[in-house]
Structure formats: structure tokens, C-alpha cells
Amino acid sequence: SGRLGELPDILTRLSTLVTEALELRFPRSLAPPAVAPPRVLTLMPPPSFPPRDAEGDQAQTEKLLRAGRKNDPHKADANHKLGVLLAQIGKTEEAATLIGQTVNLNPQSARYHYSLGIVRYMEKRREEAFAAFLQATLMEKAPREAHVALGRMHRELGEYEEAREAIEKAAAEAADPETFLGIGNTWYLEGDFEMARSYYIKALETDSSFTPAYINMGVLEAESNELEDARKQFGRALSGGDENPQALNNMALLDSARGLTDSSLAMFEKALAAEAVREEVLANIGTLYLLSGRWADAESSFRKVLESSPDSALANNNLGILHLVRGDTAMAAATIETGLKEAPDSHLLHYNL
């Protein structure tokens, strides 16, 4: 019973120690924007078909295309058009079958191989997607999008030189800001910031309102510890009145590093309102809620992350620490152990367990 009387003091000391641990550990999680490039750089979008407009139009178009294919099931173009529509409305399995038939009917069409690559990518069948994109780029009249898609897949594999070569082939056909951005990103991921910067500048020379280039220039400045210059670039990304969530997220990270918690929270909250919830924004805002003593808000944020990304080491770790601050060591350990099952290579989780 004597030890129980000391419990409030023990919990107070534990809370102090955990707060100190948070201050030591969380800067790595909330790190300056460039620490985790895939999560803060504006990357080229994944291969996809253009979205369709109205649902009513989709249903009517699907009906017409199915009727046309029924009349001539061996016509490659009819299979392709229906397959693309089905992929656009989420029926990827049937789309893959139809576009595969299209390729068999006309194996000389680079466009059909490219479309097959998109569907395989949507199905997360990366090896087949890579093969289809590669085949498309080896053929005459290869769509420039096929070179870009192949470059993206090389980048996902960490093959940055090959990625750059593929995207540069696309740039030779059309010098648009998105392609320059992609080339700049491959240089960034190889650690050559000057070359990366030169391509981001080319993107802005092509289109001075191209927000992603300003964001990535800001990431470069943050990586170089030029934090005021980074703020200026993120500010330019926000200057057009478009509350770009990546720019807001990165600006909030800079304010967090300077100890400006209220300003950082305000920008994270704007980022959440600006787009469908993104894991890194939720994890970051949850961390600041935790550091600010807003435990219910912190728990809500971490649980939302884990609903869509149960392998998030940051969310599992911080939720565990939240339980620890509340005095529930058993739940803290269980939460971090659960996180380790999902992310067994996380040094953060091993350290805090």
C-alpha cells in the first residue's frame, strides 16, 4: 500500500520522461521536409487513364460500347475502348481481360501495350505492368506517357538513372513542366541537388504557376538547411490562393521545428481540410496534438492513419506513447508490439518498446 501512495508521483515523473523522449524522438518523425522524399516531394502521378465525367454518361457509354463489341468481338478498337472505360470506373479485372485481348488482336500497337500496363499497375501487378510499359516504349510511335510510366516504375525500384533516361525520352518529345519535374525528382533521389534544382527551374520557366516545382524547390532548400528560403518557396506555392496540402504540410513542419506549435497546428488543419486525408498530415498533426496535451485529438488522428495504413510505424509508435503518458503501460506495450508485427524493421518501434 505504501508503493500505491507513490503512484501519482511516479506517473508525474513518467510523464516528464515521456515528454522529454517525445522531444528527442519526434523531431525525427516530424523531420524537415526532405528527410522522407517520397512523402513530401510532389511526384509525377501514377499511370492512369483520364477520369470520366458524369456517372450517367459512364453507364450510357458502357452500354453502347458493350453493344458495339457484341457486334464485332474481334475488333481491337472496340475491346480497347470498353476496357479503358471499365478501368476508369473500377472494373479492373474485366478491363485487364479486354485490353489483353486487344493486345493479342493487334500486338503492334504501342498504345494498347501502354493501356495494358496501366491496368496491371492499377491491379498492383507491378512486374506485368513494367513489362507492358517497356514493350510499349520499344515500339514505333510509342506514346510519351509510356516513357514516363516506365520511368516511374524504374524510380519505384530505386533505379534512378534508368528512370531519368526514360523520362528524358518523354521530355525530348514534349517539354512540359510535369516531365521536367520527374527528371528533377530522379536527380534529387540520387542526391544531386544542383541538377534537381536546374530541372525544377526549367519546369517553372515552362509554367511559372506550376505549384509542384515550388514545393520541390522548398524541399531542396530545407534539405540544405536553408529554412527561410524553403519557407519562401512553400509560400510561393500557396500564393495563388490554392491551399496546396503538400505546401501546407511542409510549411507546418518548418514551424514545428521552430517551436511554433500553434502556427504548425493551424497549417496542418488547413492541409486536412484541403484534400482527402493523407497519412503524413494526420500522423504529423496527431504528434503535435500529443505534444500539446490534446490526447483525444491525438488518438483520433493516429487511429485514422491506422485504419488505412496499419503498418504505419509512426502512428503505432505515437499511439503507444499516448497510452504510456496516460499511465496504461500494458496497452502502450501491446500497441507498439502490434506495430512491430506490421512494421518489423522499424528502429523507432524497437527503440521505444
Side-chain angles (χ1 to χ4, degrees), residues 89-290:
I89 61 178
K91 299 179 180 180
T92 53
E93 186 175 352
E94 187 179 359
T97 299
L98 285 169
I99 296 176
Q101 291 173 0
T102 300
V103 170
N104 291 333
L105 289 167
N106 186 357
Q108 302 307 312
S109 170
R111 173 62 62 179
Y112 294 164
H113 285 284
Y114 171 63
S115 294
L116 182 61
I118 293 176
V119 177
R120 293 308 188 201
Y121 190 93
M122 293 170 71
E123 293 182 306
K124 301 188 185 304
R125 295 167 66 170
R126 295 297 199 258
E127 289 185 6
E128 293 174 59
F130 184 94
F133 291 140
L134 178 60
Q135 183 62 41
T137 61
L138 296 175
M139 304 179 76
E140 288 187 20
K141 298 182 180 179
R144 62 177 299 278
E145 297 91 345
H147 291 290
V148 173
L150 184 63
R152 180 187 173 93
M153 297 213 67
H154 277 302
R155 194 200 68 220
E156 289 181 5
L157 294 169
E159 299 166 352
Y160 302 131
E161 184 175 352
E162 292 86 346
R164 189 172 61 255
E165 289 175 358
I167 300 172
E168 283 176 343
K169 288 179 181 177
E173 296 181 23
D176 60 89
E178 288 86 359
T179 303
F180 286 136
L181 181 81
I183 298 172
N185 287 351
T186 60
W187 280 115
Y188 173 86
L189 293 169
E190 284 193 75
D192 193 328
F193 293 172
E194 288 309 309
M195 285 299 294
R197 182 179 282 106
S198 72
Y199 277 95
Y200 295 150
I201 290 171
K202 285 183 180 181
L204 291 169
E205 288 173 346
T206 306
D207 180 357
S208 61
S209 64
F210 188 56
T211 298
Y214 288 118
I215 294 174
N216 289 8
M217 289 278 280
V219 170
L220 285 182
E221 300 299 351
E223 178 77 358
S224 303
N225 207 34
E226 300 292 343
L227 301 187
E228 285 307 312
D229 289 337
R231 285 183 64 83
K232 289 177 184 177
Q233 296 293 350
F234 297 143
R236 287 170 183 149
L238 296 167
S239 63
D242 176 22
E243 294 193 332
N244 182 284
Q246 285 178 301
L248 286 166
N249 180 69
N250 290 353
M251 189 84 88
L253 288 167
L254 292 180
D255 278 359
S256 174
R258 296 167 65 191
L260 303 175
T261 303
D262 290 343
S263 172
S264 184
L265 278 173
M267 276 184 279
F268 276 136
E269 286 166 353
K270 281 186 180 180
L272 285 178
E275 69 163 20
V277 173
R278 295 183 57 190
E279 177 187 326
E280 66 265 30
V281 177
L282 268 177
N284 286 336
I285 198 172
T287 302
L288 280 186
Y289 283 149
L290 179 53

Side-chain angles (χ1 to χ4, degrees), residues 30-47:
L30 280 174
V35 168
R39 289 171 53 177
V40 290
L41 275 182
T42 301
L43 301 173
M44 301 183 76

Side-chain angles (χ1 to χ4, degrees), residues 310-327:
D311 61 343
S312 171
L314 175 59
N316 278 299
N317 176 77
N318 293 3
L319 182 58
I321 288 183
L322 174 59
H323 289 310
L324 187 62
V325 173
R326 286 172 164 170

Side-chain angles (χ1 to χ4, degrees), residues 5-135:
E6 297 176 16
L7 185 58
D9 290 337
I10 293 171
L11 290 178
T12 299
R13 290 199 298 274
L14 176 61
S15 178
T16 301
L17 288 171
V18 168
T19 300
E20 291 171 355
L22 287 170
E23 291 171 354
L24 289 172
R25 299 297 299 176
F26 284 0
R28 294 189 182 181
S29 304
L30 280 174
V35 168
R39 289 171 53 177
V40 290
L41 275 182
T42 301
L43 301 173
M44 301 183 76
S48 62
F49 297 110
R52 297 193 66 84
D53 297 328
E55 289 188 12
D57 291 343
Q58 291 173 358
Q60 183 63 23
T61 303
E62 181 180 353
K63 184 177 180 180
L64 291 171
L65 288 174
R66 286 191 184 278
R69 180 178 178 273
K70 188 175 181 180
N71 293 332
D72 189 358
H74 300 297
K75 188 176 180 180
D77 190 53
N79 281 310
H80 183 253
K81 286 181 179 178
L82 179 57
V84 169
L85 173 67
L86 293 173
Q88 289 170 323
I89 61 178
K91 299 179 180 180
T92 53
E93 186 175 352
E94 187 179 359
T97 299
L98 285 169
I99 296 176
Q101 291 173 0
T102 300
V103 170
N104 291 333
L105 289 167
N106 186 357
Q108 302 307 312
S109 170
R111 173 62 62 179
Y112 294 164
H113 285 284
Y114 171 63
S115 294
L116 182 61
I118 293 176
V119 177
R120 293 308 188 201
Y121 190 93
M122 293 170 71
E123 293 182 306
K124 301 188 185 304
R125 295 167 66 170
R126 295 297 199 258
E127 289 185 6
E128 293 174 59
F130 184 94
F133 291 140
L134 178 60
Q135 183 62 41

